Amino acid sequence: MSRPRIVIVGAGFAGYRTARTLSRMTRGRAHITLLNPTDYFLYLPLLPQVAAGVLEPRRVTVSLSDTLPDVRLVLGEADRIDLDGQTLHYTGPEGDDGTLAYDRLVLAAGSVNKLLPIPGVAEYAHGFRGLPEALYLRDHVTRQVELAAAADDPKSCAARCTFVVVGAGYTGTEVAAHGQMFTDAQVRKHPLRQGMRPRWMLLDVAPRVLPEMDEKLSTTADRVLRQRGVDVRMGTSVKEATPDGVVLTDGEFVETRTLVWCVGVRPDPLVESLGLPMEKGRLLVDPHLQVPGRPELFACGDVAAVPDLDKPGSYTPMTAQHAWRHGKVAAENVAASLGLGGARKPYRHRDLGFVVDLGGAKAAANPLGVPLSGVPAGAVTRGYHLAAMPGNRVRVAADWLLDAVLPRQAVQLGLVRSWSVPLDTSSPELARVPGGPERRQEASARSGPGAAIAADTHDGGTGAGSGKGRAGDEPAKGHPGSRVTQDRPGSGTAQRRSEEELAKGRPGGEPARNWPTDEPAKGPLGSGSAKGQLGGEPAKGRLGGESARSRAGGEPPKGQSGGEPARNQPGGEPARNQPGGEPARNQPGGEPARNQPGGEPARNQPGGEPAKNQPGPTPQPPADQPPPGPDTAPGPVKRSDVPDDSAKGDS
């Protein structure tokens, strides 16, 4: 008799626990396949310590191959799920397509950054959901402090040393707490101008810090943050983000180069297109974590709306504790459905309390309902994390010990650039790379603010900016409208919309210009950078945008005398920093429409780029142009999870 095939999508808390439990229960009596974009399990609660330089990145990752015996690891991201044919289609890290057949499918794809229709946020903010984002933030903060210490202009120094965190939940609170300690330690080595110190701001529309926790813990966290110097503002959020700062909902403009988006998460969009009953973006399941009417389909973690049997009519929240427990129950019920285990079990939980690490010896915790603060809370918090981690306990404890007795290293590794970790992505665990492979897939809701805005504007998430009734307001500038991407319900096939398709809705089809503005322009430090600031805004054009505005006198306002001609008007938009200019699009003498013979000329590249959806060779840079690198602005960057329009329509 052939062994049953079990496929698990995602290796977060729920997926990893499901795979580990099934491996122990089945003991080789089933084919278990785990599909995940990376080869590691990420312990998210310790990610703020990676950004603050307390822990090395590998300390918070656990190898899937080493810790999951009898589980086959497949690297890739799910594109389509054929429920009737019981097959899953995915794209690998090098652009290759694959198909997995299953007898039981466990969806544990997790969650992604929550996006809101606040102008400028998608372009100028960065999330905090993956290891690349944490590494980027550590480099970025280090760079800003070093540039501020060398700046002669007090205004520039103050802006670079102002860090704005939106969202006072678990993640945002810990990022602000650790960040203030990290920058304070840096300025002891690189003193700022007299009387200046780094300023961290924590914003949220909620009435208090950590609104989802016990009020005593919230009060403790608020007190520690304020004592440390964090500017905590409740009932306030971001109304608009600009390259030079943020406009708050109370009308104040804060000059800053750093905007960290921690307003919450939303379920991975893959489940939205299954055509099955949903609850606020989550797939409805029964207490056994099984999808009604689909005996072969299970869901757990952040993508599943699991009934809370202790609170009838409600669902378990999207927390790591619940996801970890979901995984164990899902594995037991999958094994039971295949005759490889005992009877099915409903999901019930007992609240064991929560812990929040505030850096150093400070924390807020309520183990078994007993509120703690100070050193006892710090000891309980770190003990809990060591017990909960499935690996690397000794290494983590060693890093904590070394951090307590040795000065913390603050250096820029330069491994992750700003454009590599955009906010509008549902793959925060993967950084974009120049010249990455294409993905071929059908229309779907993979990522982008257009797919997220409508789902995120009505659920009252924290940090919602001016979110009182923002539905229907102007969407984020340069992005598609706020309507949810249309899927094909009831077809039995789950599909995702590509980021490239969503990008076409942006003005000029240009990719979002990512910010914070931290990367130096071409050349060594101090050789002059974007907008004339030392190590300032990267040359816009790395993603096909406009090049750095560093000419004397700045750029005149668009549409004004001496300025840049309005787009789509006769005369066209001149090519920035290029002689001759680029003619207006869709105007006589201008650029041919996309998907038409002739194609779109390549920006800043001789010879041009052939039209999309038209056969033609891949454009190559000229012989005298260096390949994209850390000091060279690449052309339009392609990532591994963006479809290739030149490929066939269906994958």
Side-chain angles (χ1 to χ4, degrees):
M1 181 179 177
S2 61
R3 292 183 294 173
R5 299 160 299 180
I6 304 172
V7 174
I8 304 168
V9 179
F13 281 91
Y16 180 84
R17 186 77 183 278
T18 301
R20 193 172 74 167
T21 305
L22 276 172
S23 175
R24 293 174 178 175
M25 293 185 65
T26 59
R27 298 185 181 276
R29 293 178 293 170
H31 285 289
I32 305 174
T33 301
L34 178 61
L35 177 68
N36 197 57
T38 64
D39 63 351
Y40 58 81
F41 159 76
L42 176 64
Y43 190 76
L44 272 170
L46 293 182
L47 205 57
Q49 298 191 29
V50 173
V54 177
L55 297 176
E56 289 301 311
R58 286 186 297 175
R59 303 294 187 258
V60 299
T61 61
V62 178
S63 171
L64 298 177
S65 300
D66 293 345
T67 58
L68 297 177
D70 300 323
V71 175
R72 175 194 175 204
L73 173 63
V74 176
L75 295 178
E77 292 187 271
D79 296 329
R80 297 184 294 115
I81 301 174
D82 186 351
L83 297 177
D84 297 328
Q86 294 190 188
T87 56
L88 180 149
H89 301 269
Y90 68 92
T91 300
E94 296 184 351
D96 53 310
D97 296 332
T99 302
L100 297 173
Y102 61 84
D103 297 304
R104 295 292 184 272
L105 177 64
V106 181
L107 292 177
S111 54
V112 298
N113 292 314
K114 176 185 289 186
L115 300 177
L116 298 172
I118 300 176
V121 164
E123 295 91 340
Y124 304 130
H126 285 281
F128 202 80
R129 290 290 300 166
L131 200 55
E133 292 172 323
L135 292 175
Y136 164 75
L137 183 61
R138 185 171 70 177
D139 273 6
H140 171 75
V141 170
T142 302
R143 180 182 300 115
Q144 296 307 308
V145 173
E146 292 172 349
L147 293 175
D152 295 327
D153 180 17
K155 186 177 180 181
S156 173
C157 180
R160 291 191 181 280
C161 281
T162 299
F163 308 93
V164 179
V165 180
V166 185
Y170 293 102
T171 302
T173 300
E174 291 188 347
V175 167
H178 282 277
Q180 185 72 65
M181 291 187 65
F182 182 46
T183 53
D184 284 348
Q186 278 188 269
V187 298
R188 285 194 287 268
K189 302 176 184 178
H190 303 278
L192 302 177
R193 299 176 64 89
Q194 186 175 4
M196 298 186 66
R197 64 167 296 191
R199 176 194 184 193
W200 284 78
M201 298 181 65
L202 181 61
L203 313 176
D204 203 308
V205 295
R208 58 186 175 92
V209 174
L210 299 172
E212 65 274 19
M213 292 185 64
D214 180 79
E215 190 169 353
K216 292 183 179 179
L217 298 184
S218 174
T219 302
T220 298
D222 186 274
R223 182 179 67 252
V224 171
L225 290 172
R226 294 181 188 274
Q227 289 175 349
R228 198 166 287 167
V230 177
D231 185 357
V232 180
R233 300 194 186 185
M234 295 294 98
T236 306
S237 191
V238 172
K239 183 178 181 180
E240 181 180 1
T242 72
D244 300 317
V246 294
V247 180
L248 305 185
T249 51
D250 59 8
E252 180 183 353
F253 180 77
V254 177
E255 292 192 16
T256 180
R257 301 292 186 271
T258 309
L259 180 59
V260 187
W261 192 253
C262 302
V263 300
V265 295
R266 63 187 178 93
D268 189 285
L270 175 66
V271 299
E272 295 178 358
S273 51
L274 285 170
L276 298 174
M278 309 286 291
E279 173 64 29
K280 292 185 178 180
R282 294 195 283 173
L283 191 62
L284 277 173
V285 297
D286 61 23
H288 302 93
L289 307 183
Q290 193 170 27
V291 177
R294 291 284 180 177
E296 78 286 353
L297 182 60
F298 293 77
C300 54
D302 290 349
V303 299
V306 182
D308 190 339
L309 299 182
D310 295 329
K311 300 177 181 178
S314 63
Y315 301 92
T316 59
M318 297 166 62
T319 64
Q321 286 191 22
H322 280 291
W324 187 252
R325 298 168 185 173
H326 286 175
K328 183 175 184 295
V329 174
E332 292 172 345
N333 290 337
V334 168
S337 70
L338 294 171
L340 302 177
R344 295 195 309 163
K345 299 179 181 178
Y347 177 72
R348 289 183 179 275
H349 69 93
R350 181 188 173 203
D351 189 357
L352 300 179
F354 297 93
V355 296
V356 179
D357 193 323
L358 300 175
K362 301 295 181 66
N366 62 343
L368 302 177
V370 180
L372 298 175
S373 61
V375 176
V380 168
T381 298
R382 296 203 168 183
Y384 168 79
H385 286 314
L386 287 179
M389 288 192 69
N392 289 347
R393 296 186 181 95
V394 174
R395 290 185 172 92
V396 169
D399 275 4
W400 283 340
L401 177 61
L402 292 175
D403 182 70
V405 299
L406 296 176
R408 193 176 304 176
Q409 289 183 309
V411 295
Q412 302 177 49
L413 300 180
L415 300 178
V416 182
R417 298 294 186 177
S418 174
W419 51 264
S420 300
V421 283
L423 182 64
D424 59 338
T425 177
S426 63
S427 297
E429 66 276 6
L430 297 176
R432 292 188 179 185
V433 294
E438 299 286 350
R439 289 185 66 183
R440 294 175 296 176
Q441 59 193 30
E442 291 184 347
S444 62
R446 179 57 185 158
S447 68
I453 288 173
D456 295 336
T457 50
H458 302 290
D459 56 3
T462 60
S466 54
K468 294 182 180 180
R470 284 203 64 86
D473 288 358
E474 179 184 358
K477 292 182 179 179
H479 283 74
S482 59
R483 63 182 182 275
V484 177
T485 304
Q486 295 297 319
D487 302 311
R488 301 179 183 178
S491 63
T493 302
Q495 303 167 333
R496 300 174 184 265
R497 172 165 295 177
S498 70
E499 289 186 2
E500 187 168 326
E501 286 178 303
L502 290 167
K504 291 178 182 177
R506 300 175 181 139
E510 298 178 2
R513 296 165 185 164
N514 296 313
W515 181 82
T517 56
D518 59 310
E519 294 181 39
K522 297 182 182 179
L525 186 67
S527 63
S529 56
K531 297 192 177 179
Q533 294 295 333
L534 197 67
E537 182 176 1
K540 297 180 180 178
R542 291 180 181 270
L543 290 176
E546 65 187 64
S547 50
R549 299 168 184 170
S550 55
R551 301 186 181 276
E555 178 184 357
K558 297 182 180 181
Q560 299 297 326
S561 177
E564 177 184 2
R567 299 184 181 180
N568 299 331
Q569 296 298 327
E573 173 189 354
R576 295 154 189 161
N577 297 336
Q578 294 292 335
E582 175 185 345
R585 296 171 182 163
N586 302 329
Q587 296 296 328
E591 173 188 356
R594 297 189 178 183
N595 302 332
Q596 297 296 327
E600 173 189 357
R603 297 170 188 144
N604 300 330
Q605 298 290 340
E609 173 186 52
K612 297 183 179 181
N613 292 340
Q614 296 294 331
T618 302
Q620 298 293 334
D624 60 346
Q625 177 178 320
D631 294 320
T632 304
V637 178
K638 298 179 180 179
R639 60 177 293 178
S640 60
D641 61 348
V642 180
D644 185 354
D645 285 341
S646 64
K648 57 186 179 180
D650 296 336
S651 58

